[in-house]
Structure formats: C-alpha cells, structure tokens
C-alpha cells in the first residue's frame, strides 16, 4: 500500500490477536511491534532487557509507590512511559507498521492513518487455543486467560482514557472465532485497504 | 466541643490516608481538608469566626516581628495557624534554586568534583555522598538528588559502573545533610519557625549529630558496596571523553550571579540570629534579588516554582490547627507525658523513634507539623526541654524517612531518576541498604541527645 497506515491491535488473551498482527505485518510487508519494543528501549537505555520485560506489564502495587513533582517510584510506570515514548516516535516517523497492545490506539490517536482494532473471541474458542498453545488443562488455561485479561485491562485503563475492550475505544471490534487467525487477518487487511482508500 | 474534636480528627485521618494513597495530588487533599476544617469544625460546629481568622494568620504578615525581631529579645513561640514564615521562606528558596539550576550550577559542581577525584569510582562514591549532604544543608534535597542522580547515571555509563548503590547513598546523605540545618528539610523549618530557633541553633545541635552520622554512613555504605566499587575500579578509564565542568555553565554571568545569591543566602541564614532578620525576610529578599537579576528569565523561573508544595503547606497547617484548637493535640501530648512519666529521656526516645518509624512510611511534613504543638505542650515553659524535644523531633522525622523508597521526597526523586534510566530500585534493594543505616543514625541521635541534654 502506498499510503501510510498504522494498525493498532488490542486483544483478548487467547483470541489470536498477536498472530493476527504477525500475519497482517507479513501480508502488508511492514514491521510488527509488540514485545520487541521493550528490547529496543533496553538497547537505547543500555540496560538489561529482561529486567524491563519483567516490569513491562506488571501491576503497580498500591501503597508501595509515591509520586513527587511528577517523579514516581513505580518502575512499571517508567517502563510503560519509555514504551509510549518509543511508540510516539514511531508515530512521528513516516513508517507504516502493525503494533500489538501497549495502549497504541490511545498513544497514536492523533496520528494520521491509525486504525485501531480490538480482537475478541468466543470464550470456549479461546480456552481451546490456550490449552493447545501452552499445553495446559482446562482449569489452568482458564486461570491463565483470566489473569492475563485482568492485567491487560488494568494496564490499558491505567494509562488510557478509553476503556479496554469497549467498542467506542476502537475503530473495529472483531470476533476471531468465526474466521480464525488467518481469516481474521485477511478481513482486517481488506478493511484497512478500504479505510485508507486503496 | 466533642463534635468539633471528632470532626477535626476525622478530617486529619482522611487527609493522612489520602496522602498515603497517592491517588489525588496532595495539595488538593490538604486544601480540601483545610477548607473543611475552617467551614465544618470552626464555622458550623464551634461557631467561632475568631478561630478561622487566627488559623489563617494573615494578620501576622503585618507585624514587624514577623519580618524582623530584636536579636536581644527572646523570640516568642508562634501560636499555630498557617506558618506563613515557613511558606515564604520555602518559596524564596525555590526561586533561588531555580535560578541556580538554570545557570548550570549543579551540573558544574558535580562535574568539577568528579574531575577533582580523577573519575575514580571509590573516591567519586565518597565525594558525591559528602557533596550531597553539604548541598542539602542549604538547598532542598529534591533538587540536590535530581541533579546528582542524573549526573551519577551519566558518569556510570561513561565509567561502566552500576549507579544504583551510589544513588542510594546520595539519597541517604541528602536527607542526613538536610537534618543539619534549619533550612535543610521542611520539618526543621517548621520546628525552627514555630519555636524561634536559629540556623546556628540547628547547626550546633542537629548539625553535630548529622556530622557524626555522615562519617558513620560513609563508612557503612562503603563497606556494604565495597565489592561493587572494587570491581568498577578495575575498569580502564579514558578521562579525555569526560564532559568538562565548564561545559555545564549555560551563561557565565547568570552562573556568577547565582553563586553570589547562594552565598548571600548562606550568610544571611548563618547570621540571622544576630541580624534579627526572620526566615521569611531572608526568603523574600533572596527571591526578589533572584528575580531582579534574572532579567528576561523571570517568567521561566516563576513558572518552575513548585506552587503545589506551597499550597500543600497552607492546607496542612489549617488541618493541624484544627487539632490544636479543638484540644486534640493537648490530649495527645498529655498521653505521651503520661507514658513517659514526665521523664525527659523516655520522651526523647519516644519522639525520635515514633517520628522515625512514622516518617519511614508517611509524609514527615504533616507528622512534624502535628508534633510541633505536642512537644510545645509537653515542654510547657521549660525552654531547655523544648529545645531537646525539638532536636529529637527533627532527627526522627528527617532521618526516619531514609528507611524506605517512599519515606522522603528525595528518595522518591532518586528512585525515579534511576527508574527512568532503566535501573530499578525496588523496596527490597532500597530497604536492605538504607534501613540499617537509618537505624544506625537514629540510634546515634538517641545516644547523643540523651548524653548531651538529658544526663
């Protein structure tokens, strides 16, 4: 596609959002940004990426942190803000890309060509995917899925005005149950083409 | 009166909880609770307009004694309400420090010191600790740490060492240095201003304890981090790549002016017991000189003044006065008096350790503001006892905050600067190093205060 576009994907755990993002990036010949943003931030700061990764989506513990004149003791906030700064710089460039998670739809809301998408899935469909992908039994898969979704919602809603997973936060909300990851990626690709007028 | 007392306590408790929760900016919390105190406690429940007027204490500003007092006449303790002297002094110092920061003073002095110790890790570690303490004696510890931690990280990247131990030791020393003088830490300004204590009073009492404490903590932090420091010392250093101190100076004229103003402030503070100038006059004077000499930079300096902290103080003083006027602080003082059986040693131990432990977890400023009227009640007309309890309160509140990452503003800023640069300082790491040092200094403070004033 000749026109610049940014696809910002939010997703439920187990819905295949990450795979959809990867498939879209491959199909459209652009970079995919997800956890690799933390690695890039660590590289810029010249610090251990593992440490940043561990706090990239950790829940901030109440009562254990304090803010003074805009300075916070929360390392989680610092890692998040570094990622947001990186995303802002990507937004300010002329690169087209796909980005998964990291509040990208809110961080980049004023950038031209941003299309925000939320991928959800039928609960049974997601449980099946998580069980298969991680080799878990049903109970463990449900626990993992619910825990990740709670963390994602907390993280998103802590830094964004829009609410995680709610229709008015995104341009398009799609249930991946019906088309699968590849089919949903193709659907989104067509949507993006029409949105940017190609 | 009972309803007013209950309301005052509830408002105070809500204020404290909201400050600890850190969800709403703390100046909104104290101002909101302050307004409630004025309207609900004084207005509706006590129906005492005079109490509102006394708490606002605006009349004080019109008294000559507020700005200047005859050095030969004993100073009268303040009578509660908003401590405008503290607020004006803090505002003045904020303006002066902004002027200094703008000129590049802090970066220059850090780079100069690093150059003097030839960028060697262990001497740098010790030198930065001492500098942190010395600067914090005159400048607020937030500013000291903001610059020192940032430059420590910059040097750590060039010299290939882990900046975390150095930042934690600098934070501790900034708090320790702040305890040495009347202007070093807000609790000291509140205590000094309330009881008419001078800069020299603090220097000769808490200053002495802080000096002994500094020697101990330098040795302590060195011993705790010696392996890390030794490993870093083995790295080859190319001094030619280091930034020169001169490169830190943004504008030579501003730089010279800011140093002169800083020295003037130091001289005025040291001599204020002789000149009779109040801290409010010194603060206001320094602010005016800084603004006049700032020229076009006046707008920038004023925009950077931390008005939120000043408003926080205004609200805080009102809420604490609500406790005072309704007699709650007197009840608390009587309780401490009963526990200690009127024994000064026990009172000192209670005040140092109670304020030390409390300040490790909650803001030491509201704690100090609350304790000031309590120790005034405990001491009654006994001036010696009042001073002894003042030093106990100052050391407890100033040093107790060192123990945890949220105990003092300097800790928060230091941990934040490290975090922004990718170095995490968590509770475990912070407390493992700083809590034992806090206990050491509090124990030494207790010992010195007992031996010097109580035996």
């Amino acid at each position: 596609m000749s026109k610049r576009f940014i696809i910002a994907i939010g997703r439920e755990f187990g819905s295949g959002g990450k795979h959809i993002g990867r498939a879209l990036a491959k199909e459209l010949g652009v970079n995919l940004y997800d956890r690799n943003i933390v690695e890039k931030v660590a590289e810029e700061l010249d610090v251990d990426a593992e440490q940043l990764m561990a706090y990239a989506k950790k829940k901030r513990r109440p009562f254990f942190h304090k803010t003074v004149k805009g300075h916070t003791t929360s390392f989680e906030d610092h890692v998040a803000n570094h990622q947001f700064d990186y995303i802002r710089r990507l937004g300010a460039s002329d690169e087209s890309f796909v980005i998964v998670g990291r509040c990208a739809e809110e961080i980049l809301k004023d950038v031209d060509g941003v299309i925000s998408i939320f991928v959800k899935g039928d609960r049974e469909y997601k449980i099946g995917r998580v069980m298969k992908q991680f080799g878990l039994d049903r109970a463990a898969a449900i626990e993992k899925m619910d825990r990740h979704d709670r963390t994602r919602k907390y993280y998103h809603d802590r830094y964004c005005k829009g609410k995680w997973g709610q229709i008015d936060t995104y341009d398009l909300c799609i249930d991946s149950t019906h088309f699968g990851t590849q089919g949903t990626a193709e659907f989104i690709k067509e949507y993006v083409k029409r949105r940017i007028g190609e | 009166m009972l309803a007013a007392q209950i309301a005052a306590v509830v408002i105070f408790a809500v204020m404290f909880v909201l400050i600890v929760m850190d969800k709403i900016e703390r100046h909104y919390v104290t101002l909101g609770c302050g307004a409630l105190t004025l309207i609900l406690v004084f207005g509706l429940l006590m129906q005492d307009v005079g109490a509102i007027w006394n708490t606002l204490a605006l009349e004080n500003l019109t008294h000559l004694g507020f700005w200047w007092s005859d050095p030969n006449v004993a100073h009268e303790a303040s009578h509660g309400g908003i401590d405008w002297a503290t607020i004006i002094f803090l505002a003045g110092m904020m303006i002066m420090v902004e002027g200094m920061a703008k000129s590049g003073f802090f970066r220059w002095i850090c780079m100069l010191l690093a150059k003097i110790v030839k960028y060697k890790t262990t001497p740098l570690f010790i030198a930065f600790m001492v500098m942190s303490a010395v600067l914090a004696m005159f400048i607020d510890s937030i500013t000291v740490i903001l610059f020192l931690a940032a430059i420590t990280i910059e040097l750590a990247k060039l010299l290939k060492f882990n900046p975390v131990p150095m930042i934690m030791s600098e934070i501790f020393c900034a708090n320790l240095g702040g305890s040495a003088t009347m202007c070093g830490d807000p609790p000291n300004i509140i205590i000094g201003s309330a009881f008419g204590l001078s800069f020299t009073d603090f220097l000769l009492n808490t200053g002495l304890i802080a000096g002994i404490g500094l020697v101990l903590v330098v040795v302590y932090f060195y011993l705790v981090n010696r392996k890390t420091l030794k490993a870093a010392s083995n790295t080859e250093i190319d001094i030619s790549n280091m930034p020169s101190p001169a490169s830190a100076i943004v504008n030579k004229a501003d730089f010279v002016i800011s140093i002169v103003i800083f020295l003037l402030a130091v001289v005025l503070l040291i001599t204020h017991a002789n000149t009779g100038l109040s801290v409010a006059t010194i603060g206001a004077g320094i602010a005016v000189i800084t603004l006049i000499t700032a020229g076009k930079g006046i707008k920038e300096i004023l925009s950077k003044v931390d008005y939120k902290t000043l408003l926080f103080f205004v609200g805080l003083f009102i809420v604490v006065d609500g406790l005072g006027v309704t007699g709650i602080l007197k009840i608390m003082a009587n309780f401490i008096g009963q526990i200690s059986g009127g024994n000064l040693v026990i009172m000192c131990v209670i005040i140092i350790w109670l304020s030390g432990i409390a300040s490790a977890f909650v803001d030491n400023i509201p704690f100090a503001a609350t304790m000031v009227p309590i120790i005034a009640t405990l001491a009654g007309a006994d001036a010696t006892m009042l001073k002894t309890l003042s030093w106990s309160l100052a050391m407890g509140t100033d040093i107790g905050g060192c123990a945890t990452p949220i105990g003092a503003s300097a800790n928060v800023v230091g941990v934040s600067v490290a975090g922004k640069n990718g170095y995490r300082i968590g509770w475990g790491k912070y407390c493992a190093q700083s809590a034992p040092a806090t206990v050491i200094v509090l124990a030494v403070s207790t010992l010195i205060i007992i031996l010097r004033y109580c035996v």
Side-chain angles (χ1 to χ4, degrees):
Chain A
M1 284 187 270
S2 55
K3 286 185 184 167
R4 199 237 179 150
F5 65 89
I6 297 168
I7 305 174
I9 302 176
R11 75 286 183 220
E12 285 179 345
F13 192 80
S15 68
K18 192 166 122 186
H19 299 280
I20 292 167
R22 195 178 293 154
L24 271 169
K26 197 177 169 191
E27 287 265 325
L28 296 167
V30 296
N31 284 323
L32 171 75
Y33 294 100
D34 55 2
R35 278 166 68 90
N36 56 0
I37 289 181
V38 183
E39 285 161 17
K40 290 175 190 300
V41 166
E43 207 178 299
E44 284 181 356
L45 291 172
D46 192 17
V47 294
D48 178 25
E50 286 303 311
Q51 187 185 223
L52 296 197
M53 206 71 90
Y55 288 87
K57 282 206 164 179
K58 213 170 178 179
K59 227 173 169 179
R60 177 184 154 133
R61 288 181 300 167
F63 301 110
F64 281 88
H65 295 293
K66 198 171 172 183
T67 306
V68 171
K69 293 187 183 179
H71 298 276
T72 174
T73 53
S74 164
F75 194 64
E76 294 84 343
D77 285 352
H78 292 303
V79 177
N81 286 325
H82 275 300
Q83 292 190 79
F84 300 157
D85 283 344
Y86 192 89
I87 294 167
R88 277 187 203 102
R89 278 185 275 144
L90 283 175
S93 70
D94 53 7
E95 180 187 348
S96 290
F97 58 89
V98 176
I99 182 163
V100 179
R102 282 143 191 89
C103 307
E105 90 287 343
E106 175 112 358
I107 307 290
L108 300 172
K109 68 177 188 298
D110 297 325
V111 177
D112 286 339
V114 175
I115 298 164
S116 58
I117 290 157
F118 188 78
V119 183
K120 68 182 278 290
D122 180 81
R123 190 162 172 83
E124 287 303 318
Y125 169 74
K126 291 189 295 178
I127 293 168
R129 285 194 77 248
V130 175
M131 285 170 70
K132 194 176 165 190
Q133 194 181 342
F134 298 97
L136 299 172
D137 61 27
R138 185 178 169 81
I142 291 173
E143 192 277 325
K144 187 179 180 68
M145 198 174 86
D146 289 346
R147 178 164 41 86
H148 279 280
D149 277 347
R150 271 198 309 273
T151 309
R152 282 179 185 174
K153 183 173 170 28
Y154 169 85
Y155 181 88
H156 182 278
D157 293 353
R158 174 166 164 70
Y159 298 109
C160 302
K161 281 182 186 161
K163 298 288 174 207
W164 182 81
Q166 299 216 342
I167 51 169
D168 49 357
T169 306
Y170 309 91
D171 296 323
L172 173 72
C173 292
I174 187 163
D175 188 334
S176 62
T177 315
H178 309 293
F179 302 149
T181 49
Q182 193 56 40
T184 306
E186 282 165 16
F187 183 93
I188 294 171
K189 186 180 158 190
E190 286 309 309
Y191 174 83
V192 171
K193 275 185 174 178
R194 290 187 68 171
R195 269 287 304 273
I196 62 171
E198 287 203 359
Chain B
M1 192 57 145
L2 184 66
Q5 284 179 330
I6 293 169
V9 171
V10 170
I11 291 169
F12 180 79
V14 167
M15 178 190 81
F16 236 116
V17 170
L18 288 175
I19 290 174
V20 172
M21 283 174 72
D22 198 23
K23 293 267 183 198
I24 306 168
E25 286 198 72
R26 59 180 193 161
H27 64 289
Y28 289 128
V29 172
T30 62
L31 285 176
C33 291
L36 260 180
T37 303
L38 293 177
I39 299 165
L40 185 68
V41 179
F42 297 154
L44 295 174
L45 297 172
M46 290 174 64
Q47 299 187 345
D48 186 349
V49 180
I52 296 175
W53 191 240
N54 287 339
T55 298
L56 294 175
L58 291 165
E59 210 182 313
N60 288 356
L61 299 169
T62 61
H63 294 162
L64 175 66
F66 180 85
W67 303 100
W68 179 84
S69 55
D70 189 338
N72 300 316
V73 177
H75 178 96
E76 265 185 54
S78 71
H79 300 288
I82 299 172
D83 184 352
W84 291 109
T86 294
I87 292 167
I88 293 171
F89 177 73
L90 281 172
M93 290 294 115
M94 282 175 188
I95 289 171
M96 178 190 80
V97 167
E98 284 307 329
M100 291 171 80
K102 199 171 152 270
S103 73
F105 172 82
F106 295 109
R107 193 175 156 75
W108 169 80
I109 198 162
C110 292
M111 288 304 178
L112 182 69
L113 203 58
K115 193 179 176 183
I116 289 170
V117 298
K118 297 189 171 64
Y119 305 99
K120 291 192 184 303
T121 321
T122 304
L124 192 68
F125 182 79
I126 295 168
F128 272 23
M129 281 175 82
V130 175
M131 180 168 65
S132 177
V134 172
L135 284 177
M137 286 169 70
F138 304 98
I139 293 161
D140 75 286
S141 53
I142 296 178
T143 307
V144 171
I145 288 302
L146 201 55
F147 283 91
L148 208 48
I151 288 163
T152 301
I153 289 168
E154 191 180 333
L155 288 172
K157 288 199 168 155
L158 291 168
L159 301 171
K160 307 280 177 214
F161 67 84
N162 179 5
V164 170
M166 205 182 274
I167 291 173
M168 284 199 286
S169 60
E170 288 161 4
I171 292 170
F172 195 99
C173 290
N175 290 321
L176 187 57
S179 72
T181 64
M182 184 172 161
C183 60
D185 207 5
N188 293 17
I189 305 168
I190 295 170
I191 296 165
S193 166
F195 300 137
L197 300 168
S198 71
F199 186 89
T200 318
D201 287 334
F202 272 92
L203 202 59
L204 295 177
N205 293 280
T206 57
L208 178 85
I209 301 170
I212 295 167
L214 182 63
V215 174
L216 293 174
V217 296
V218 167
V219 173
Y220 166 82
F221 277 108
Y222 170 72
L223 290 175
V224 169
N225 295 297
R226 66 187 185 284
K227 281 182 188 164
T228 319
L229 291 168
K230 205 173 176 186
S233 302
N234 296 331
T235 316
E236 291 275 319
I237 308 165
D238 182 6
I239 294 177
S240 61
N241 284 339
M242 299 298 148
S244 75
S247 68
I249 301 168
V250 180
N251 176 309
K252 268 192 179 172
D254 287 351
F255 177 76
V256 172
I257 289 168
S258 72
I259 291 180
V260 170
I261 295 173
F262 174 59
L263 293 176
L264 177 67
V266 172
V267 170
L268 287 174
L269 283 167
I270 292 173
T271 58
H272 84 115
N274 309 98
T275 58
L277 294 175
S278 73
V279 287
T281 309
I282 295 172
I286 291 298
V288 169
I289 297 169
T290 305
L291 294 175
I292 289 172
T293 53
K296 287 178 185 171
I298 189 167
K299 212 173 169 184
E300 190 189 337
I301 290 176
L302 283 174
S303 70
K304 285 187 176 170
V305 169
D306 183 11
Y307 298 103
K308 290 177 181 177
T309 296
L310 301 176
L311 293 171
F312 162 76
F313 273 95
V314 171
L316 172 69
F317 286 128
I318 297 173
V319 176
V320 172
D321 205 40
L323 294 178
V325 172
T326 53
I328 295 295
L329 296 179
K330 206 169 182 181
I331 294 169
M332 287 167 73
N334 290 339
F335 180 66
I336 294 175
Q338 276 173 8
I339 291 177
S340 62
N343 183 318
L344 184 59
V345 173
I346 299 174
M347 275 188 213
C348 289
V349 171
I350 290 175
I351 286 171
I352 292 175
W353 290 91
L354 177 71
S355 52
I357 293 165
S359 300
F361 301 99
V362 298
D363 202 322
N364 65 1
I365 300 168
F367 191 86
T370 314
M371 287 300 287
V372 159
I374 291 178
I375 64 170
T377 310
L378 280 171
D382 187 340
T384 312
M385 189 193 230
L386 183 66
K387 281 191 176 179
T388 307
L389 295 179
S390 296
W391 312 139
S392 303
L393 179 61
M395 292 313 294
T397 48
D398 296 342
I399 303 304
C402 297
T404 68
I406 60 164
S409 299
N411 314 8
V412 175
V413 171
V415 170
S416 176
V417 171
K420 269 183 197 160
N421 287 279
Y423 298 98
R424 180 178 178 267
I425 306 178
W427 270 72
K429 195 185 281 181
Y430 191 94
C431 296
Q433 282 221 9
S434 296
T438 306
V439 172
I440 292 170
V441 178
L442 284 179
V444 168
S445 306
T446 310
L447 199 68
I448 295 173
I449 287 173
I450 290 172
L451 292 176
R452 192 170 170 193
Y453 311 106
C454 305
V455 180

